[in-house]
Amino acid sequence: MNLQAPLEPVLVDPLPRRGTVAVDVGGVLVGGAAPVVVQSMTNTDTADVDGTVRQVADLARAGSEIVRITVDRDEAAAAVPRIRERLDRLGVTVPLVGDFHYIGHKLLADHPACAAALAKYRINPGNVGFKDKKDRQFVEIVEMAIRHDKPVRIGVNWGSLDQELLTRLMDANSALASPLPARDVMREAIVQSALHSAALAEETGLARERIILSAKVSNVQDLIAVYRDLSRRTDHCIHLGLTEAGMGSKGIVASAAAMGILLQEGIGDTIRVSLTPEPGGDRTREVQVAQEILQTMGFRQFIPIVAACPGCGRTTSTLFQQLAETIQTDIRTNMPLWRERYPGVEAMTVAVMGCIVNGPGESKHADIGISLPGTAEVPSAPVYMDGVKVATLRGARIAEDFHEMVRQYIDRRFGRPAALAGTAAAE
Ligand code: SF4
C-alpha cells in the first residue's frame, strides 16, 4: 500500500434505497427512485391565516418541500383554502398536508374546499375514534381521499397508539409459555397498527401509490427497530421521523443518530425533524437540520458546506471562527438567489482552517479554502482554489479579502454566461 499516494475523496453511493411504491404529494414525488424529501410542520394556529401563510412561506423558502398544518376545528378547516390561495399568489407552491385527529372525517366532509386545497391528509389510526367508530371513521377519511384524489399518510405514533390493539397483543403475549418483553410487544403493536390501517385503506379502494406510512416513537433504539421491521414487511412509501425529539442539541443528535442509521440502510423516503423550538425560536431550524442530515451523509446537496476546524491551543484568535460564521451566514442568506443564478453551487465546499497543521491539506480538498495563521505563525493566510494555492493574504483585511474571493469564485465557476442569463431573464 502506498501511504504517500493522495487519498481519493470518499464518495457515498447514491443511497441504496429499499424499493417502495412512489406517491405523488401535490406534484412532489415521494418514494420509489425519488430523492429523500424534506418536510416540516407549522406551529401556528391554522385559523390565523396571516401567521400560517408567513410561516409556511418561511419553511418553503428554507427548503421544506412539503409542509404540514394542523386542521383541528372548523375555523382551521375554513382557513385552509384561503391559506392555499394566499401562498399561490406569493408564488409559494409547496404542497400542504392537513394533520387530522379525532374529527378529521367530519372536518373533511363539512369543508370540501379544505379537502380540495390540501395535497395530502395525515391520519393517526390511534386517534380516529374508539371501538366500532374507529374503523368507520378511518374509512370515511379514506373515502374522502379517494373522492378528492389525494394521498394519505397513515401516521402511527406511540403516544397515541391504538390501545385496543396493544391490549390484545399484550394479552396474547402473556399467555405464551415464554412471553416477550413488553417493549417488543409495543414495537409490534406500532408496526401492526400501520400495516392493518394500510390494508384497510386499500380494501376501501385507496391505491397503494396513494399511501405513505410512518411509525414514530421518541426513543432512538425503538425507532430503528420499528422502522426496520416495518420496511421489511411492506413496500409502502415510508415517512421517517423521531417524534418528540426535544430541544436544541438533544433533539438534533437524537434525530440524526436514528435517521442516519435508517437512511444508510435505505429506509425512509421523506423525513421530518421534530425539534422543539426555543421560545420565539426559528421554526425553519428543523428544515435546516433535515437538509444537513441528508447532505452530510452525501445523499442530497442543498447548500455549500463550510468545513471549519474546531480550533485548539494553536490558535488563540477568534478570526477563523468569525470568518467561518460570516461565510456560513452569507451562504445561507444568499442561497435562495444563488440557487437560481448559480446552478450547482450547492455542491461547493469552503474550508476555513485555524493553522498550518491541517489548514493547507483541508483547504486543498475544498473547492476554495483558507489556512489562517495560528499562534506564533507568520501572519499570512494561503488561499487554495480547486486544490491549487492561488494567493497569500496578509494584513488586517484577511477576512474581508477571502470573503470577496469566495464570491468571485462562485460567480466565475457557477455563473451562467451573460448571454444565457439574459435569455433566462427574458423568458
Ligand atoms: S487546524 Fe490547527 S487550529 Fe485547527 S484544530 Fe487543527 S491544529 Fe488546531
Side-chain angles (χ1 to χ4, degrees):
M1 186 180 173
N2 179 6
L3 293 177
Q4 300 304 313
L7 288 175
E8 288 296 319
V10 178
L11 295 177
V12 179
D13 244 349
L15 196 53
R17 305 275 299 282
R18 301 277 173 103
T20 55
V21 177
V23 176
D24 184 332
V25 180
V28 175
L29 210 59
V30 184
V36 179
V37 169
V38 170
Q39 61 177 286
S40 60
M41 184 171 184
T42 56
N43 63 353
T44 53
D45 177 358
T46 304
D48 169 10
V49 174
D50 288 348
T52 304
V53 166
R54 208 175 308 122
Q55 195 173 77
V56 171
D58 285 347
L59 290 165
R61 286 189 193 111
S64 185
E65 293 158 308
I66 295 174
V67 177
R68 182 159 46 116
I69 57 177
T70 301
V71 188
D72 57 342
R73 62 194 199 280
D74 284 308
E75 291 82 353
V80 170
R82 289 160 56 209
I83 291 168
R84 180 72 273 166
E85 281 165 28
R86 290 266 301 275
L87 288 168
D88 289 343
R89 281 210 299 275
L90 289 171
V92 179
T93 57
V94 68
L96 294 177
V97 176
D99 196 60
F100 294 98
H101 296 274
Y102 309 112
I103 55 169
H105 61 295
K106 197 169 174 319
L107 291 173
L108 286 166
D110 292 348
H111 298 271
C114 165
L118 292 169
K120 187 178 74 175
Y121 312 150
R122 185 269 169 126
I123 322 172
N124 178 338
N127 278 350
V128 282
F130 299 101
K131 301 196 179 297
D132 58 317
K133 282 188 188 161
K134 190 176 61 174
D135 282 359
R136 196 173 71 232
Q137 292 176 177
F138 177 87
V139 164
E140 282 177 36
I141 299 179
V142 171
E143 285 172 343
M144 208 62 70
I146 295 168
R147 189 173 316 152
H148 290 275
D149 196 18
K150 306 288 182 184
V152 302
R153 170 161 68 96
I154 295 167
V156 179
N157 188 306
W158 83 317
S160 49
L161 183 58
D162 180 343
Q163 290 304 304
E164 292 165 39
L165 172 64
L166 181 61
T167 306
R168 204 165 59 242
L169 291 184
M170 286 290 185
D171 289 347
N173 183 59
S174 54
L176 294 175
S178 308
L180 296 167
R183 193 172 207 101
D184 289 3
V185 181
M186 185 271 293
R187 291 173 175 174
E188 173 64 18
I190 291 169
V191 174
Q192 278 199 25
S193 177
L195 295 176
H196 165 79
S197 302
L200 183 56
E202 286 187 59
E203 279 164 30
T204 307
L206 191 65
R208 208 172 180 75
E209 56 270 19
R210 282 276 186 260
I211 299 172
I212 297 178
L213 299 184
S214 66
K216 296 191 185 181
V217 297
S218 61
N219 174 282
V220 169
Q221 293 299 340
D222 285 335
L223 191 92
I224 294 167
V226 162
Y227 270 95
R228 275 180 179 157
D229 195 23
L230 183 65
S231 123
R232 192 176 50 75
R233 288 160 71 171
T234 183
D235 64 354
H236 280 102
C237 187
I238 299 277
H239 166 124
L240 199 57
L242 185 77
T243 192
E244 284 95 47
M247 287 181 98
S249 62
K250 187 265 170 193
I252 294 170
V253 170
S255 296
M259 290 198 237
I261 287 169
L262 291 164
L263 288 166
Q264 186 65 28
E265 294 176 9
I267 299 169
D269 300 303
T270 176
I271 64 171
R272 187 215 165 188
V273 176
S274 304
L275 293 182
T276 308
E278 322 276 324
D282 187 352
R283 190 68 170 178
T284 62
R285 184 91 173 108
E286 66 175 59
V287 177
Q288 186 187 330
V289 172
Q291 289 183 331
E292 283 173 357
I293 290 173
L294 293 174
Q295 182 152 0
T296 53
M297 293 188 75
F299 298 145
R300 285 191 71 182
Q301 287 166 331
F302 299 95
I303 192 167
I305 284 186
V306 178
C309 79
C312 68
R314 292 182 64 92
T315 179
T316 45
S317 96
T318 55
L319 177 64
F320 87 97
Q321 293 159 285
Q322 286 161 354
L323 182 55
E325 193 186 8
T326 307
I327 302 247
Q328 181 82 66
T329 306
D330 189 48
I331 288 172
R332 203 160 276 290
T333 309
N334 285 299
M335 207 46 207
L337 178 67
W338 288 357
R339 224 172 259 127
E340 306 286 319
R341 188 175 290 174
Y342 302 120
V345 70
E346 61 277 5
M348 186 180 79
T349 53
V350 183
V352 179
M353 299 295 291
C355 85
I356 202 166
V357 171
N358 293 321
E362 190 69 48
S363 299
K364 279 184 203 166
H365 282 118
D367 291 305
I368 176 167
I370 186 168
S371 177
L372 292 161
T375 309
E377 286 178 22
V378 179
S380 62
V383 175
Y384 297 80
M385 288 184 189
D386 303 319
V388 177
K389 185 174 161 187
V390 293
T392 301
L393 302 179
R394 291 187 177 82
R397 290 187 50 83
I398 287 180
E400 289 84 352
D401 290 347
F402 180 66
H403 196 238
E404 186 52 33
M405 288 179 85
V406 171
R407 284 178 163 265
Q408 286 175 7
Y409 178 86
I410 290 172
D411 197 49
R412 197 182 67 245
R413 178 162 166 205
F414 301 100
R416 286 179 291 182
L420 208 60
T423 313
E427 281 167 359

